[in-house]
Amino acid sequence: MSLKSDLLRAKTEEDVKDAYIKAIGLKAYSKTLVDIRTKEIWFEAKGVPTPPVVMFTQLLFYVRSARKLGEQIPPFLCVIDTEKAAIMETANALPILNEKTIKWPKSGSKVDKSLAVLLAPLIETHIVVYQIDTYERDFIATIRSAISAGKIIRTSITPDNLRQVFDKWVVMIGRELTGVSLSDYALLFFADIMHDGKKAAVKDLPAKLLHDDDKPVFFLNGVMYELNSLHGYRNFWAIYHRPPEEEYRRYLLERRDTLLPLDEREFKGAYYTPLAVVDKAYDELAAVLGKNWQQRYIVWDMCCGVGNLEVKHSNYRNVFMSTIDQADIDVMRASHTCVGATIFQYDYLNDDINELGLIDYSLSNKMPLTLQNAIADAMAKKKGAKKLLVLINPPYAEATSSDNAANKGADRSKTGVARSKFASASMAGYGKASNELFTQFLARIHKEVPTAIVASFGKLKYVNSQAFEEFRKVWQAKYLGGFVVHSKAFDDLKGEFPIGFLIWDTSKPEPITEIVTDVLDRNAAYIGDKTYTNVENDLLLSTWPVRPKTNSVPALPLKGAVEPATTTADLRGTKWSNGAIGWFNCAGNDLQQANRLTMLLSSGFASGRGFFINKDNLWQVAVMFTVRRIIKPTWLNDRDQFLQPNKALSDEFKSDCLVWTLFNSANYSASVEKIRWNGADWPLINHFLPFKEAEIGAKTAFASSFMATYMSKLTLSAEAKAVMKEGRRLFQHFHQQKFGRTIVDDFKLGRPDVGWWQVRRALKANLVNEQTNFQSFDVAYEKLSEKLIPQVFELGFLPA
């Protein structure tokens, strides 16, 4: 149990004392007029939040009295309440006790706020305040060190606590600097921590910490920033030690990426490549290109960030590094990163692109002449010229359309991503890949240095995604080798997916058909191999069924099982289809999307990306639904593409899939008397109920008997029959209940032919009133799943 949680439960001042005693681990102590008294430290406690100066004033009264009596005075004083604690060295308070202008009362109970106001200017600069909800560990560590070492030991800034320290710096110091942008906080933070209070420990950083008398001021980009208040600054540096140990300084500066705002990191690609992963990349390059590749190749990293992808290189005269952000260059120079390399500011997707999409280095005059010559020599295959290796970890930001018009802040897309000069002028034949920053990099490299070796980190979708088929027709290269590594090896990447480090020879254009990679876990340890296959779109599962056309009959567009659409932009699902019984949503064709975008509904879906279900395609829908949802996505298979079956499907497999589909949690089919949408009431009819009224005890007739009639003609396997039996029992149990108004309203239970989604949700919501046994159903459903899973691979729906 933490100190914070104990304080939340504290009801009295004694509870507060006991919570702190427990958290600090005090052994030898007493409770007297001084609330908690040890040889090393005295505590004043309050049961409610109280200003620290008020508590210190009362504690100093007892110190003054004890001193007059000749008692031993502790080296430290501490005040505590339910929210915070503060500590002060007693020596800093002694001059106050001798101040004759201060009128001390005759008893501690007479100490009041007026005396505290008088003492405040004298003691506020000497006290260190810890808010327990954010500084609990720091406070406990400080108190324990004060007791054991006889002095306050400030917390060191290390790679392990960098982000935590930075966040606290922003709250206590950064926000006191008026006019500073979020992206500049990191530079000002480094200027502050890489300083001992008198001089800079690291020279030539982009931002400077200066002093106006004793007042700190910051200087960045020609602008001086002053602190609105010094209180937070003093308190922060009373907690932390600066500068960081010399062994950490360079690494901390390299981790500027972790301190940038998330949207800027995604747009600029500011994601630090872990050194363990860099090691593996260099091992792979040596295996593919030969042991002496660093002497034989010119290396260009045109999105180098702070250069950690090049720190393992042993011959910097062959290395060119460019980045969009001048601050990255300033940090590298200050930290002496890759000394000897040619480092320059360059916006690779916008600089030197003319209106015709041609590359003209004279437009910016940023490109070093030596690199221009190296590119020209490599292109001309000049005798003795070094080959060119592009080594990059490009940004992953993406746009949803060429003008990003659909971006309303509801997704991760970046305004302007697709508007880079290069994408606008030179990627007309690349399809959706023109919306992705990392493929924009690959495309310009392909145009600028078509004979280069490209060794790039990136997501795997450019290798096998359905959406990148047009890209692969244009961008072709010979695969030389590579690995995939768990995304969790990289700090702060959301989700779990493979990041590939793939090496390509672009001088040998070959269609991407199949690549085999090593697989590394989040610790960059080898755990196996993985094959990624590029399949033509007409062999993908998404192109398997014939999609029925819509008609002119109005339909209710849904956004959930019983929720009507609320969007007005690009609204779909407003028209029916002949003979339709519902909608099958099946967006995307890989495991990453299938788990959350596969569902059945009783009407059209507001965002489309699926098709209507009828009696002719129902078996295909059931197969696709099962295949897309039954295999759980992992970090490694997340980009695996679903394929059409490679052999005939048995009737048993089809009927097993139908039963599995009908009782899956993503079967959102439902029955509702009326749903209000667009100024009218719309009925919702459930055509997916596999039972007749008498079988489940329904009191009135169903609007549709489609599914019960359809299934009466099927021969079910033992596993499917078991699921049907348990499903029937739950439907029967549902029709025996009397639900409260909240459950009835939430799940719209006004009709007898409710769907599986409504039955399951209502029974679970009612568990506080009526127990329902789901276990036997879950066991039967799991057995059917265990039967179907191997067949997904045997029938070729996914690569084995």
Side-chain angles (χ1 to χ4, degrees):
M1 195 70 70
S2 68
L3 173 58
K4 177 183 175 181
S5 58
D6 286 341
L7 291 176
L8 287 173
R9 295 197 307 273
K11 296 181 179 179
T12 66
E13 186 176 298
E14 286 302 313
D15 292 339
V16 173
K17 296 178 191 178
D18 292 340
Y20 280 92
I21 289 169
K22 172 187 168 185
I24 298 167
L26 293 178
K27 302 299 181 185
Y29 65 89
S30 61
K31 295 180 180 179
T32 60
L33 282 175
V34 176
D35 288 327
I36 306 172
R37 186 170 184 159
T38 73
K39 183 174 66 174
E40 301 87 3
I41 190 163
W42 287 2
F43 296 82
E44 174 68 19
K46 296 296 181 185
V48 295
T50 306
V53 171
V54 173
M55 292 189 281
F56 269 118
T57 301
Q58 188 161 9
L59 186 54
L60 285 174
F61 174 87
Y62 298 126
V63 171
R64 181 173 179 271
S65 300
R67 195 174 178 219
K68 282 186 176 183
L69 295 174
E71 296 179 12
Q72 183 178 354
I73 305 299
F76 299 99
L77 305 174
C78 185
V79 297
I80 54 180
D81 65 22
T82 55
E83 294 181 348
K84 62 189 171 299
I87 190 169
M88 176 172 62
E89 293 185 65
T90 308
N92 290 323
L94 294 181
I96 300 170
L97 303 181
N98 296 327
E99 181 59 57
K100 295 186 178 181
T101 59
I102 298 174
K103 302 291 186 181
W104 290 89
K106 292 184 179 180
S107 68
S109 62
K110 299 294 185 180
V111 173
D112 57 17
K113 289 185 177 179
S114 62
L115 180 58
V117 169
L118 189 63
L119 265 59
L122 303 175
I123 65 175
E124 276 188 327
T125 58
H126 301 301
I127 65 177
V128 183
V129 181
Y130 299 83
Q131 294 293 331
I132 298 303
D133 61 348
T134 55
Y135 280 91
E136 177 178 332
R137 291 183 180 179
D138 297 298
F139 165 70
I140 293 172
T142 299
I143 289 293
R144 288 176 178 173
S145 70
I147 292 172
S148 62
K151 61 180 180 179
I152 295 178
I153 300 176
R154 291 179 174 86
T155 302
S156 296
I157 301 173
T158 69
D160 292 333
N161 66 5
L162 175 64
R163 181 73 210 199
Q164 178 188 24
V165 174
F166 173 74
D167 288 342
K168 293 174 182 177
W169 183 92
V170 170
V171 171
M172 299 175 72
I173 299 175
R175 291 177 183 171
E176 294 297 329
L177 300 169
T178 303
V180 176
S181 68
L182 294 178
S183 58
D184 285 339
Y185 277 145
L187 296 175
L188 296 169
F189 169 73
F190 282 130
D192 204 7
I193 70 170
M194 298 297 177
H195 203 286
D196 65 6
K198 296 182 180 179
K199 63 180 181 179
V202 176
K203 305 291 186 182
D204 302 322
L205 286 171
K208 307 290 183 187
L209 174 64
L210 308 173
H211 287 84
D212 182 4
D213 293 328
D214 290 332
K215 185 178 180 181
V217 293
F218 293 88
F219 186 77
L220 175 63
N221 297 330
V223 180
M224 195 79 73
Y225 298 99
E226 295 185 5
L227 290 160
N228 294 318
S229 168
L230 290 177
H231 180 75
Y233 191 87
R234 289 168 176 164
N235 205 59
F236 182 87
W237 287 118
I239 295 171
Y240 292 105
H241 172 75
R242 66 175 176 174
E245 297 297 328
E246 189 170 358
E247 63 181 299
Y248 297 137
R249 292 173 194 171
R250 177 173 164 176
Y251 177 81
L252 294 175
L253 290 170
E254 289 177 352
R255 295 317 316 270
R256 173 175 170 261
D257 67 299
T258 66
L259 310 183
L260 293 174
L262 182 59
D263 60 346
E264 183 175 349
R265 293 179 68 188
E266 290 184 337
F267 189 82
K268 292 181 177 178
Y271 285 103
Y272 179 86
T273 311
L275 293 183
V277 178
V278 176
D279 279 336
K280 296 294 184 182
Y282 275 64
D283 290 344
E284 191 69 26
L285 286 166
V288 170
L289 304 179
K291 290 184 179 180
N292 297 320
W293 70 271
Q294 295 188 34
Q295 282 70 47
R296 294 185 290 108
Y297 282 85
I298 293 290
V299 173
W300 183 15
D301 181 350
M302 58 279 294
C303 43
C304 67
V306 290
N308 67 298
L309 194 53
E310 282 70 46
V311 295
K312 297 291 183 177
H313 206 286
S314 60
N315 186 1
Y316 288 128
R317 292 181 183 277
N318 286 347
V319 176
F320 293 83
M321 301 161 63
S322 58
T323 173
I324 192 174
D325 197 341
Q326 179 63 41
D328 286 336
I329 298 172
D330 296 337
V331 168
M332 281 190 281
R333 287 175 176 161
S335 60
H336 305 292
T337 298
C338 302
V339 176
T342 301
I343 304 174
F344 59 104
Q345 189 279 328
Y346 197 71
D347 184 348
Y348 190 68
L349 299 182
N350 291 291
D351 283 342
D352 295 336
I353 309 294
N354 68 20
E355 63 276 5
L356 299 177
L358 301 176
I359 297 168
D360 180 357
Y361 297 132
S362 67
L363 293 176
S364 73
N365 289 317
K366 294 179 180 179
M367 178 75 77
L369 184 60
T370 49
L371 180 55
Q372 293 184 44
N373 292 336
I375 292 173
D377 291 346
M379 290 281 290
K381 298 182 180 180
K382 185 176 179 180
K383 186 176 180 180
K386 295 182 185 296
K387 297 180 179 179
L388 188 67
L389 167 66
V390 174
L391 179 62
I392 53 172
N393 186 0
Y396 304 149
E398 61 187 87
T400 54
S401 63
S402 60
D403 61 359
N404 210 24
N407 182 25
K408 294 180 170 60
D411 55 38
R412 296 170 50 243
S413 304
K414 302 295 170 291
T415 302
V417 166
R419 292 180 183 153
S420 75
K421 287 184 179 178
F422 181 79
S424 299
S426 299
M427 292 188 71
Y430 282 85
K432 293 181 180 179
S434 63
N435 294 338
E436 305 264 357
L437 282 181
F438 84 97
T439 44
Q440 290 179 28
F441 272 85
L442 292 178
R444 173 165 170 177
I445 292 165
H446 193 57
K447 182 171 186 175
E448 187 171 15
V449 280
T451 61
I453 300 295
V454 175
S456 175
F457 285 91
K459 296 181 179 180
L460 274 297
K461 53 183 169 181
Y462 76 104
V463 174
N464 68 346
S465 171
Q466 177 184 12
F468 280 68
E469 185 174 36
E470 290 180 70
F471 170 83
R472 289 189 293 272
K473 289 178 180 178
V474 181
W475 196 91
Q476 297 188 352
K478 182 178 181 179
Y479 175 67
L480 301 180
F483 60 77
V484 294
V485 61
H486 199 304
S487 59
K488 291 301 180 184
F490 296 74
D491 291 345
D492 297 333
L493 280 181
K494 292 182 178 180
E496 298 192 29
F497 51 89
I499 296 289
F501 177 72
L502 308 181
I503 306 172
W504 306 90
D505 185 348
T506 63
S507 71
K508 299 176 181 177
E510 297 180 2
I512 301 172
T513 55
E514 181 177 280
I515 68 170
V516 180
T517 70
D518 291 341
V519 178
L520 310 182
D521 64 15
R522 64 183 65 196
N523 299 313
Y526 174 80
I527 57 174
D529 301 321
K530 173 71 175 175
T531 299
Y532 292 90
T533 304
N534 171 30
V535 179
E536 297 294 327
N537 279 2
D538 58 6
L539 297 178
L540 297 175
L541 186 63
S542 58
T543 61
W544 185 41
V546 175
R547 303 188 175 214
K549 295 181 179 180
T550 57
N551 56 29
S552 59
V553 178
L556 167 67
L558 296 170
K559 70 173 184 179
V562 294
E563 297 175 277
T566 52
T567 185
T568 54
D570 194 28
L571 179 64
R572 310 288 183 89
T574 59
K575 298 295 182 181
W576 270 105
S577 175
N578 294 341
I581 59 172
W583 176 267
F584 176 41
N585 207 69
C586 52
N589 192 67
D590 55 40
L591 278 154
Q592 180 195 46
Q593 300 180 80
N595 196 49
R596 60 187 179 86
L597 297 176
T598 304
M599 51 193 165
L600 298 185
L601 300 106
S602 287
S603 189
F605 188 52
S607 67
R609 303 178 75 186
F611 56 90
F612 279 103
I613 310 166
N614 56 41
K615 63 180 178 60
D616 297 319
N617 66 18
L618 175 59
W619 71 271
Q620 280 186 306
V621 167
V623 169
M624 288 182 67
F625 182 101
T626 302
V627 167
R628 287 171 57 91
R629 286 194 59 85
I630 200 168
I631 305 299
K632 300 304 179 187
T634 67
W635 76 270
L636 189 55
N637 71 13
D638 115 308
R639 278 293 171 186
D640 284 358
Q641 298 291 316
F642 293 106
L643 308 175
Q644 295 178 21
N646 55 20
K647 59 186 73 172
L649 305 181
S650 68
D651 290 340
E652 182 172 311
F653 177 77
K654 295 176 185 177
S655 60
D656 280 348
C657 287
L658 179 57
V659 171
W660 195 91
T661 297
L662 292 174
F663 290 95
N664 187 265
S665 59
N667 172 9
Y668 294 159
S669 60
S671 176
V672 181
E673 191 68 44
K674 57 184 179 181
I675 294 178
R676 191 73 178 175
W677 180 75
N678 201 25
D681 291 329
W682 300 72
L684 201 60
I685 298 175
N686 176 19
H687 294 284
F688 292 86
L689 186 51
F691 307 114
K692 295 182 178 179
E693 295 87 340
E695 290 183 82
I696 55 176
K699 296 178 175 60
T700 54
F702 298 160
S704 170
S705 61
F706 172 86
M707 192 59 65
T709 301
Y710 184 93
M711 295 191 70
S712 67
K713 303 171 185 177
L714 304 180
T715 301
L716 300 184
S717 68
E719 294 82 2
K721 286 179 179 178
V723 173
M724 288 287 287
K725 176 183 177 182
E726 291 299 327
R728 185 183 300 107
R729 178 184 59 80
L730 290 173
F731 269 90
Q732 291 169 346
H733 187 61
F734 170 89
H735 283 284
Q736 293 167 2
Q737 306 305 307
K738 186 172 179 62
F739 295 100
R741 175 52 55 189
T742 299
I743 294 176
V744 170
D745 290 345
D746 285 349
F747 305 115
K748 295 183 170 51
L749 305 181
R751 293 174 59 104
D753 44 357
V754 290
W756 173 239
W757 181 88
Q758 292 165 294
V759 168
R760 191 183 74 261
R761 291 294 185 93
L763 289 176
K764 290 191 174 182
N766 199 43
L767 284 175
V768 293
N769 301 312
E770 181 74 27
Q771 289 298 308
T772 300
N773 175 18
F774 285 96
Q775 184 176 2
S776 55
F777 170 82
D778 292 339
V779 169
Y781 195 75
E782 182 61 28
K783 286 183 178 179
L784 180 58
S785 299
E786 291 172 355
K787 176 185 177 183
L788 286 168
I789 287 172
Q791 296 181 69
V792 171
F793 300 97
E794 292 166 5
L795 295 169
F797 289 106
L798 281 171

